[in-house]
Amino acid sequence: MDVALASSGSAVASTKLHVPDFPSGVRVPCAPLAGRLAAARGPGLAVATGAATPVLATWAQDLADDRPFAWLSLDGADADPVVFWRSVIAALRTVHPRFGTEAERLLRGGPALLTPAVVPLVAAEAAGLDRPTVLVLAGFEAVAGARAVVSTLDLLLARRAPALLVAVGHAGPTPLGLDLGELRAEGLLAEVDVDGATASAAGDGPSTPSSPLPAAEVARRWPAALARGEHATVLGWLDALPAQDEVTERDLWLVRLWAALEGDQPGIARGHLAAADPDLPPEIHARGLLLDALVGFRRGDLPAMALSIDRATGRDPGDGFWHTTEALLRGLEAFWRAHPRVAHRHLTRAAGLAELHGDRLALASAIGYLALIATEGGDRDATRRRLGRLEDLHDADPLTGAHAAGWSGAMAEGRMLQLAGVHEGAVAPLERALALAQRGGSRLEHAEALLRLAAAHRACLRPAQAEALDADARALLARCPEHGRLAGVAAAVAPPAALRDVLTPSELSVLQLLPSDLSQREIGAELYLSVNTVKTHCRNIYTKLHAASREQAVARAHERGLL
């Protein structure tokens, strides 16, 4: 096996998954570990600071008589969170051979899927292990500075998988970065500071950074790395290149842009676009403009999106992926600008190209949007056919249903039920659409999911949830230059402050007395109004607050800050 290639993530090197051999087979004394950690029974965390690999290895081998352990030697490549979790899954498979199959598939979606999907799957599977297991993470100092690695490991520990104890060996004084407070408070944390002299045995310590890859090697490796979701690794390779090398391999300018965008780092993507070399070859610049349009879409900036698509017109990159992207972006622009027929034409072309070139994420997005157009156009048969096709696609590749590209399918399902009056049934798919939008979708997709879910909760008489969702949607839309198809939906949801202007001064006066025990006749006497006038004001208040009773009107007035 090419060790360099293994560390880049194409496979996990077998040497990382086994306890290292040490000179002459000498066992390193580890009395502090034996005394403090061997009794740990999980769920929880065992931390050995100052622990060189030989010390941790001796402890793990002694522990093997009591319970199985999975070993992982961490190195600099594992600072990419996707590589780290692929390595963790591979380590656990040495004890549980079929562990993490679905989670590993979802890793191809990149870092955006770690917190909402991958880590919860690993935690859930760990909770169901048939034998108590120790996961040993040796050399944690190699990844302790990677925020995404530390935060996702914190998430695993917070799930408290009952059969899993995570043992971390961290050499030197550098802080772990892990959140130990709750585990310590609950008695689920075992800590020991190994003697420094013992920890220096066998010369273990932080791994020496590997030499930067030459530009030609980066150009060879990046397609496979991005296909595995290892965006941070690719950006690290590019950051290590001398500036002139990136100029030599001009495609790498585009690779940096794509890795930043798909790695959920839009700020880096926008900065990279702003600093584009004006002498870039036309075909690379055209591809960059399409990615710029995608950046604009994710920001909810339809005018910027349209401008970038138009600037890329007529420059054929000669690559199926880019043809698919151009058709999909044109369909999205037309859809969000409320031109469903134009959107249907471009999205149909995008679906065909995506299927031809094997781009399953683009295919899932296009089919979902076509289903959404069908359901809002009243064509339920077409909606069901497309949703059925999406279900087959998700079965073949779970990533298509867990990635932000799956938003349109979830929204189509929710809208189909909502338009049929099945509001309670619409909540689950709309909540799924909201979760998917939060994984790197557009602000407009995010806002629509909030607004539609709010409408479903309102129809089910849950006004508090509806108000909170509407407020979040308004905050998102305030950052979008153009609201497109959402303009009417957003306008129908009045901000709380606006209702004070909608209610007349007399209605506000009556509203102030509704929380009291006064009858309508007594309210009239208090305000010098007839009882019929008070009844009229109450009916108007109920209508404007979408309330069915006095109690509900008071509750909604409190929610909206009117009382």
Side-chain angles (χ1 to χ4, degrees):
M1 177 185 290
D2 183 340
V3 176
L5 195 60
S7 65
S8 76
S10 61
V12 179
S14 60
T15 53
K16 295 179 62 171
L17 305 178
H18 299 285
V19 178
D21 292 326
F22 299 107
S24 305
V26 175
R27 289 174 59 79
V28 180
C30 60
L33 280 170
R36 292 287 301 281
L37 303 182
R41 284 294 181 268
L45 176 68
V47 176
T49 52
T53 298
V55 182
L56 202 59
T58 300
W59 170 72
Q61 290 170 329
D62 289 342
L63 187 65
D65 295 334
D66 178 51
R67 67 200 303 187
F69 69 90
W71 178 277
L72 176 58
S73 296
L74 297 167
D75 56 37
D78 294 300
D80 181 324
V82 171
V83 175
F84 173 81
W85 284 101
R86 185 171 283 116
S87 299
V88 166
I89 290 169
L92 287 168
R93 278 187 187 156
T94 62
V95 180
H96 306 280
R98 290 183 292 277
F99 188 91
T101 302
E102 186 174 355
E104 186 179 40
R105 288 176 184 167
L106 295 184
L107 284 171
R108 293 183 291 118
L113 293 186
L114 287 174
T115 297
V118 174
V119 180
L121 278 173
V122 171
E125 200 162 344
L129 293 177
D130 56 358
R131 305 177 271 166
T133 302
V134 178
L135 170 63
V136 181
L137 302 177
F140 194 77
E141 63 276 6
V143 301
R147 184 178 303 175
V149 169
V150 171
S151 64
T152 50
L153 183 56
D154 274 335
L155 179 60
L156 175 68
L157 295 171
R159 295 298 180 105
R160 309 283 199 273
L164 184 66
L165 171 69
V166 180
V168 171
H170 187 281
T174 306
L176 278 169
L178 291 168
D179 183 6
L180 306 180
E182 285 191 18
L183 291 168
R184 186 180 286 119
E186 295 176 29
L188 298 176
L189 175 66
E191 297 174 274
V192 64
D193 186 5
V194 179
D195 178 72
T198 304
S200 64
D204 193 34
S207 58
T208 304
S210 57
S211 301
L213 295 175
E217 187 65 11
V218 174
R220 183 179 73 83
R221 294 189 184 187
W222 73 259
L226 285 188
R228 294 189 300 269
E230 296 165 13
H231 305 91
T233 294
V234 173
L235 288 172
W237 291 341
L238 294 171
D239 287 341
L241 283 176
Q244 62 270 23
D245 285 7
E246 192 165 335
V247 171
T248 303
E249 296 284 347
R250 303 306 291 269
D251 275 358
L252 296 184
W253 177 86
L254 197 66
V255 174
R256 182 186 291 276
L257 178 60
W258 182 248
L261 185 62
E262 287 299 291
D264 203 21
Q265 300 184 57
I268 293 177
R270 291 198 299 273
H272 188 56
L273 279 163
D277 185 343
D279 296 328
L280 279 172
E283 66 277 7
I284 292 179
H285 192 253
R287 297 175 185 183
L289 287 169
L290 286 180
L291 289 181
D292 191 24
L294 187 54
V295 172
F297 175 60
R298 290 188 175 179
R299 292 201 317 267
D301 191 343
L302 293 177
M305 175 190 186
L307 179 62
S308 293
I309 295 173
D310 289 342
R311 288 172 63 199
T313 299
R315 297 183 177 181
D316 183 0
D319 185 325
F321 175 81
W322 301 104
H323 281 299
T324 305
T325 303
E326 185 264 347
L328 182 60
L329 287 171
R330 288 195 178 278
L332 294 178
E333 183 209 351
F335 176 85
W336 287 101
R337 284 187 153 167
H339 302 301
R341 290 185 181 179
V342 177
H344 187 280
R345 184 172 71 249
H346 288 301
L347 291 167
T348 301
R349 182 165 64 96
L353 288 167
E355 193 151 31
L356 177 65
H357 297 291
D359 190 338
R360 287 182 170 178
L361 290 178
L363 180 59
S365 180
I367 293 174
Y369 269 100
L370 288 169
L372 187 49
I373 291 171
T375 197
E376 294 191 341
D379 191 345
R380 291 189 183 182
D381 289 340
T383 303
R384 290 191 181 95
R385 285 198 306 273
R386 284 166 179 148
L387 289 178
R389 193 174 173 203
L390 274 180
E391 190 174 345
D392 292 340
L393 189 59
H394 298 340
D395 288 343
D397 186 351
L399 177 60
T400 60
H403 191 274
W407 175 89
S408 54
M411 178 56 65
E413 183 182 350
R415 290 292 288 147
M416 179 179 68
L417 293 168
Q418 200 168 34
L419 292 170
V422 188
H423 300 290
E424 195 65 67
V427 169
L430 292 174
E431 286 179 337
R432 189 166 69 251
L434 178 58
L436 292 171
Q438 292 168 335
R439 299 177 187 178
S442 164
R443 285 176 186 165
L444 291 170
E445 292 175 329
H446 193 170
E448 171 142 11
L450 288 165
L451 289 168
R452 302 302 186 188
L453 184 56
H457 280 303
R458 189 173 293 109
C460 296
L461 301 181
R462 291 189 286 267
Q465 293 95 317
E467 283 297 334
L469 293 164
D470 283 336
D472 289 345
R474 288 193 297 269
L476 272 175
L477 290 172
R479 301 164 65 190
C480 302
E482 184 179 315
H483 298 167
R485 71 185 242 110
L486 295 183
V489 184
V493 184
L499 277 171
R500 191 172 296 278
D501 299 326
V502 171
L503 292 173
T504 67
S506 295
E507 289 165 355
L508 284 169
S509 298
V510 171
L511 178 63
Q512 297 301 316
L513 296 176
L514 289 183
S516 70
D517 293 330
L518 297 175
S519 67
Q520 290 185 344
R521 187 176 298 279
E522 290 168 334
I523 289 174
E526 188 77 18
L527 299 175
Y528 303 100
L529 299 173
S530 71
V531 67
N532 287 332
T533 300
V534 173
K535 289 180 178 179
T536 299
H537 288 332
C538 285
R539 283 197 298 271
N540 291 338
I541 290 168
Y542 297 170
T543 299
K544 292 174 181 179
L545 292 180
H546 304 285
S549 66
R550 179 171 175 167
E551 292 74 17
Q552 198 173 68
V554 170
R556 294 193 176 182
H558 278 298
E559 291 165 5
R560 294 169 178 261
L562 297 173
L563 288 175

